Amino acid sequence: MVERSRREVLLTGGALGAVGALAAASPAWSWSPRGSVIGEGDGLDPKAVWDPEADLVVAAVIDRGETAKVNELLKTWTKNGQPLPDGLPADLKAFMEKARQLPSWADEGKLDAAVNFNEKRGLYLGVTYGFVSGMLSTVIPREARAVYYSKGGADMRDRITKTAKLGYDVGTKNAFKPDGEMIVTCVKTRLAHSGVRHLLPKSPHWDKVADEAIPISQADMMVTWHSLPTTVMQQLTRWKVPIAPAESEGFLHSWQVTAHMLGIKDEYIPASWDEANAQAAQVLTPILGPTPEGVKLADILLNLADFVDGGHVSAPVLSALTRYTLGDEIAGWLKIRETPFWSGILETAWEPFIAVREGLLSLERAPGPVQKFYWLFDEILRLGVLLVLSGAKFPISIEIPASNNPN
Ligand code: HEM
């Protein structure tokens, strides 16, 4: 008997069969589009919605053998306000002209407030994007598998710097303005994701372990989105970092616009932090879990300090930081070894350290470990910033993949 792959089983059931199979594996979708940025929508389960407009065009580019030529041309397209390069295939060009438009609900005032937030809090954003969101992504099973078996999985450092580019660009002053780069980064990422949707189902490695027929559904994208702004804001709140309400809203808005520019449908983008937290509790928290691929990716991230920082912050400190921010269960899944000394230091001294940094507590009055390890905590923050900056350091162009990870 010929054994059918999971993908075939999912696909032969047609869209409905796929939804049924997926619904069995994860909780039913009940988040209402009334809580979205546009306040309405069809309410379709995003596990069975992808990005058809981009997917069709990119699949055609790949199938026509134009990927290398297109990637070469796209290298020259770097600024939001810049015309698209001549020579792009007509269907791709037409799609990109549309995809580069900001949504009608983009609010310049809120985006300016986000700039203030990023300037004031950039120091904490590096460590939360880099380690909290980065580590969390390794326990999002579908993301871990997609990342591991796609082309980028063969060179994780390159991939991390490319992803850091998005984290860097979203925080820049002119992110969505004509002289900024965030729109370009988002549109290129949208194309890269479409490429992955076309190619990854052909990977025998991915096919063996995947529980979906086509990767990067709208639900998958929202899960990853929550691992970024929602998780970052939850951590900053936990650390009692003072944040003005307008800046908190501005930060959310910059990520709402980012979601739209990445091809996430408006009806799935939460309108407020309350809605974001409610959606994250439904889509992110229940699906977290260990995979062999995620464990390997986490190990690479833990040793990343060597690459960006020459190893000033060692792997045991970063292990403790992961345990402190994401908890014992996730640290256990990732097989992160226990480092009780550093865990104890973080438990007692990290929050007071933030209070000292924020001028809310004097160093003299802070607990002993804060005084003793202030330099180390500063190094952790610096490492986070360096990690995000690594996305700006090299001339990075996000590309449409032409193949999967061969390994
Ligand atoms: C590529 C960000 C959602 C899997 C990228 C890139 C960025 C990015 C910046 C380009 C970097 C590169 O080419 O290496 C994001 C953001 C997301 C999101 C901000 C959501 C808000 C997802 C999801 C998955 C995923 C849900 C999988 C389940 C991938 C893969 C690549 C990629 C496999 C291509 C790597 C390659 O070239 O092989 N993403 N992503 N992403 N992303 Fe995402």
Side-chain angles (χ1 to χ4, degrees), residues 142-143 146-147 150-152 159 162-163 166 189 193 196 216 220-221 224-225 228 262 398 401:
R142 288 179 174 177
E143 187 175 346
V147 166
S150 68
K151 179 164 178 273
R159 205 196 120 80
K162 279 185 178 158
T163 307
L166 187 140
T189 301
H193 284 158
V196 172
I216 323 188
D220 292 337
M221 286 197 284
T224 299
W225 188 88
L228 289 151
L262 286 170
I398 292 168

Tab-separated table of all heavy atoms in Angstrom, residues 142-143 146-147 150-152 159 162-163 166 189 193 196 216 220-221 224-225 228 262 398 401, ligand 1:
chain	number	residue	atom	x	y	z
A	142	ARG	N	4.659	25.403	14.229
A	142	ARG	CA	4.603	25.575	12.768
A	142	ARG	C	5.686	26.524	12.279
A	142	ARG	O	6.244	26.340	11.200
A	142	ARG	CB	3.232	26.095	12.366
A	142	ARG	CG	2.176	25.028	12.505
A	142	ARG	CD	0.840	25.573	12.134
A	142	ARG	NE	-0.144	24.506	12.122
A	142	ARG	CZ	-1.427	24.697	11.876
A	142	ARG	NH1	-1.869	25.918	11.635
A	142	ARG	NH2	-2.264	23.700	11.881
A	143	GLU	N	5.973	27.542	13.076
A	143	GLU	CA	7.018	28.485	12.658
A	143	GLU	C	8.386	27.808	12.719
A	143	GLU	O	9.200	27.940	11.798
A	143	GLU	CB	6.997	29.731	13.548
A	143	GLU	CG	7.956	30.789	13.029
A	143	GLU	CD	7.887	32.100	13.793
A	143	GLU	OE1	6.917	32.293	14.555
A	143	GLU	OE2	8.800	32.914	13.623
A	146	ALA	N	8.720	25.552	9.748
A	146	ALA	CA	8.828	26.278	8.481
A	146	ALA	C	10.212	26.916	8.358
A	146	ALA	O	10.858	26.853	7.311
A	146	ALA	CB	7.735	27.349	8.384
A	147	VAL	N	10.665	27.497	9.462
A	147	VAL	CA	11.966	28.171	9.423
A	147	VAL	C	13.076	27.144	9.209
A	147	VAL	O	13.981	27.335	8.400
A	147	VAL	CB	12.189	28.964	10.738
A	147	VAL	CG1	13.636	29.387	10.890
A	147	VAL	CG2	11.269	30.173	10.779
A	150	SER	N	12.930	25.622	5.508
A	150	SER	CA	12.981	26.515	4.341
A	150	SER	C	14.444	26.857	4.069
A	150	SER	O	15.336	26.493	4.838
A	150	SER	CB	12.177	27.780	4.602
A	150	SER	OG	12.815	28.539	5.601
A	151	LYS	N	14.656	27.576	2.982
A	151	LYS	CA	16.031	27.870	2.552
A	151	LYS	C	16.839	28.532	3.676
A	151	LYS	O	17.980	28.176	3.926
A	151	LYS	CB	15.962	28.786	1.329
A	151	LYS	CG	17.296	29.188	0.780
A	151	LYS	CD	17.144	29.744	-0.626
A	151	LYS	CE	18.467	30.206	-1.166
A	151	LYS	NZ	18.756	31.589	-0.780
A	152	GLY	N	16.204	29.500	4.344
A	152	GLY	CA	16.901	30.250	5.382
A	152	GLY	C	17.386	29.384	6.534
A	152	GLY	O	18.316	29.756	7.252
A	159	ARG	N	19.629	34.474	8.374
A	159	ARG	CA	18.194	34.629	8.565
A	159	ARG	C	17.885	35.577	9.721
A	159	ARG	O	17.003	36.430	9.645
A	159	ARG	CB	17.566	33.269	8.840
A	159	ARG	CG	16.124	33.243	8.466
A	159	ARG	CD	15.369	32.104	9.028
A	159	ARG	NE	14.289	32.640	9.855
A	159	ARG	CZ	13.156	33.102	9.368
A	159	ARG	NH1	12.925	33.062	8.091
A	159	ARG	NH2	12.237	33.592	10.162
A	162	LYS	N	18.406	39.079	8.736
A	162	LYS	CA	17.337	39.551	7.845
A	162	LYS	C	16.069	39.851	8.641
A	162	LYS	O	15.381	40.831	8.383
A	162	LYS	CB	17.027	38.485	6.793
A	162	LYS	CG	18.004	38.489	5.635
A	162	LYS	CD	17.551	37.494	4.596
A	162	LYS	CE	18.445	37.486	3.381
A	162	LYS	NZ	18.330	36.223	2.655
A	163	THR	N	15.779	38.991	9.617
A	163	THR	CA	14.586	39.220	10.425
A	163	THR	C	14.793	40.447	11.314
A	163	THR	O	13.870	41.231	11.532
A	163	THR	CB	14.279	37.968	11.277
A	163	THR	OG1	14.234	36.859	10.391
A	163	THR	CG2	12.943	38.084	11.977
A	166	LEU	N	13.665	43.821	9.990
A	166	LEU	CA	12.287	44.261	10.181
A	166	LEU	C	12.128	44.905	11.571
A	166	LEU	O	11.513	45.962	11.714
A	166	LEU	CB	11.336	43.076	10.002
A	166	LEU	CG	9.843	43.396	9.999
A	166	LEU	CD1	9.134	42.554	8.938
A	166	LEU	CD2	9.192	43.168	11.338
A	189	THR	N	9.016	40.905	2.502
A	189	THR	CA	8.736	39.769	3.388
A	189	THR	C	7.459	39.058	2.938
A	189	THR	O	7.375	37.824	2.948
A	189	THR	CB	8.601	40.251	4.846
A	189	THR	OG1	9.815	40.882	5.223
A	189	THR	CG2	8.317	39.109	5.796
A	193	HIS	N	7.269	35.172	2.071
A	193	HIS	CA	6.304	34.231	2.652
A	193	HIS	C	5.531	33.483	1.560
A	193	HIS	O	5.279	32.282	1.676
A	193	HIS	CB	5.320	34.979	3.564
A	193	HIS	CG	5.923	35.367	4.892
A	193	HIS	ND1	5.425	36.383	5.668
A	193	HIS	CD2	6.993	34.889	5.571
A	193	HIS	CE1	6.143	36.492	6.771
A	193	HIS	NE2	7.110	35.605	6.737
A	196	VAL	N	7.629	30.801	0.268
A	196	VAL	CA	7.666	29.662	1.191
A	196	VAL	C	6.394	28.817	1.040
A	196	VAL	O	6.448	27.588	1.026
A	196	VAL	CB	7.820	30.158	2.653
A	196	VAL	CG1	7.666	29.009	3.638
A	196	VAL	CG2	9.173	30.845	2.845
A	216	ILE	N	2.175	29.078	6.769
A	216	ILE	CA	2.001	30.533	6.924
A	216	ILE	C	0.579	30.979	6.571
A	216	ILE	O	0.362	31.833	5.708
A	216	ILE	CB	3.058	31.359	6.145
A	216	ILE	CG1	4.457	30.686	6.162
A	216	ILE	CG2	3.155	32.764	6.715
A	216	ILE	CD1	5.593	31.530	5.591
A	220	ASP	N	-1.409	31.516	11.379
A	220	ASP	CA	0.019	31.393	11.715
A	220	ASP	C	0.660	32.774	11.808
A	220	ASP	O	1.487	33.040	12.686
A	220	ASP	CB	0.761	30.577	10.641
A	220	ASP	CG	0.340	29.116	10.613
A	220	ASP	OD1	-0.165	28.628	11.633
A	220	ASP	OD2	0.506	28.475	9.552
A	221	MET	N	0.283	33.655	10.887
A	221	MET	CA	0.902	34.996	10.905
A	221	MET	C	0.486	35.764	12.160
A	221	MET	O	1.296	36.467	12.754
A	221	MET	CB	0.540	35.780	9.639
A	221	MET	CG	1.304	35.274	8.421
A	221	MET	SD	1.298	36.440	7.055
A	221	MET	CE	-0.341	36.241	6.425
A	224	THR	N	2.551	34.586	15.119
A	224	THR	CA	3.893	35.177	15.138
A	224	THR	C	3.821	36.666	15.498
A	224	THR	O	4.654	37.185	16.235
A	224	THR	CB	4.574	34.983	13.762
A	224	THR	OG1	4.669	33.589	13.541
A	224	THR	CG2	5.960	35.604	13.724
A	225	TRP	N	2.795	37.320	14.975
A	225	TRP	CA	2.609	38.747	15.301
A	225	TRP	C	2.497	38.925	16.824
A	225	TRP	O	3.135	39.787	17.404
A	225	TRP	CB	1.352	39.254	14.580
A	225	TRP	CG	1.129	40.727	14.651
A	225	TRP	CD1	1.611	41.673	13.790
A	225	TRP	CD2	0.353	41.449	15.622
A	225	TRP	NE1	1.181	42.926	14.167
A	225	TRP	CE2	0.411	42.817	15.285
A	225	TRP	CE3	-0.386	41.060	16.737
A	225	TRP	CZ2	-0.244	43.809	16.028
A	225	TRP	CZ3	-1.030	42.051	17.475
A	225	TRP	CH2	-0.960	43.397	17.127
A	228	LEU	N	5.476	39.008	18.845
A	228	LEU	CA	6.243	40.267	18.770
A	228	LEU	C	5.569	41.335	19.635
A	228	LEU	O	5.768	41.337	20.841
A	228	LEU	CB	6.445	40.642	17.299
A	228	LEU	CG	7.447	39.706	16.600
A	228	LEU	CD1	7.185	39.539	15.119
A	228	LEU	CD2	8.870	40.213	16.808
A	262	LEU	N	2.191	43.269	5.747
A	262	LEU	CA	2.688	41.890	5.567
A	262	LEU	C	1.645	40.991	4.929
A	262	LEU	O	1.883	39.802	4.727
A	262	LEU	CB	3.079	41.292	6.922
A	262	LEU	CG	4.370	41.783	7.558
A	262	LEU	CD1	4.472	41.278	8.995
A	262	LEU	CD2	5.589	41.322	6.753
A	398	ILE	N	15.853	41.304	1.529
A	398	ILE	CA	15.043	40.104	1.755
A	398	ILE	C	14.626	39.564	0.396
A	398	ILE	O	14.236	40.323	-0.490
A	398	ILE	CB	13.842	40.478	2.653
A	398	ILE	CG1	14.368	40.826	4.049
A	398	ILE	CG2	12.821	39.355	2.705
A	398	ILE	CD1	13.375	41.472	4.962
A	401	PRO	N	12.588	33.065	-1.798
A	401	PRO	CA	13.439	31.871	-1.849
A	401	PRO	C	13.230	31.104	-3.161
A	401	PRO	O	12.138	31.118	-3.722
A	401	PRO	CB	12.976	31.041	-0.650
A	401	PRO	CG	11.595	31.514	-0.352
A	401	PRO	CD	11.516	32.948	-0.806
B	1	HEM	C1	10.869	35.145	6.100
B	1	HEM	C2	9.107	38.237	9.376
B	1	HEM	C3	5.386	35.226	10.034
B	1	HEM	C4	8.200	31.726	8.264
B	1	HEM	C5	10.668	36.276	6.853
B	1	HEM	C6	11.454	37.472	6.791
B	1	HEM	C7	10.987	38.325	7.723
B	1	HEM	C8	9.871	37.692	8.384
B	1	HEM	C9	11.511	39.720	8.035
B	1	HEM	C10	12.608	37.705	5.822
B	1	HEM	C11	13.856	37.147	6.389
B	1	HEM	C12	14.421	36.036	5.602
B	1	HEM	O1	14.191	35.945	4.396
B	1	HEM	O2	15.138	35.236	6.201
B	1	HEM	C13	7.878	37.733	9.776
B	1	HEM	C14	6.887	38.444	10.566
B	1	HEM	C15	5.813	37.609	10.713
B	1	HEM	C16	6.165	36.354	10.070
B	1	HEM	C17	7.061	39.862	11.110
B	1	HEM	C18	4.491	37.809	11.384
B	1	HEM	C19	4.044	38.935	11.840
B	1	HEM	C20	5.855	33.988	9.691
B	1	HEM	C21	5.211	32.729	9.951
B	1	HEM	C22	6.009	31.749	9.477
B	1	HEM	C23	7.163	32.383	8.881
B	1	HEM	C24	3.876	32.583	10.649
B	1	HEM	C25	5.820	30.261	9.472
B	1	HEM	C26	4.878	29.622	10.096
B	1	HEM	C27	9.112	32.354	7.452
B	1	HEM	C28	10.003	31.664	6.545
B	1	HEM	C29	10.751	32.661	5.887
B	1	HEM	C30	10.322	33.930	6.435
B	1	HEM	C31	10.088	30.170	6.381
B	1	HEM	C32	11.735	32.491	4.732
B	1	HEM	C33	13.097	32.166	5.061
B	1	HEM	C34	13.820	31.707	3.812
B	1	HEM	O3	14.213	32.520	2.984
B	1	HEM	O4	13.944	30.520	3.673
B	1	HEM	N1	9.703	36.446	7.825
B	1	HEM	N2	7.413	36.487	9.512
B	1	HEM	N3	7.039	33.739	9.032
B	1	HEM	N4	9.331	33.698	7.357
B	1	HEM	FE1	8.348	35.099	8.373
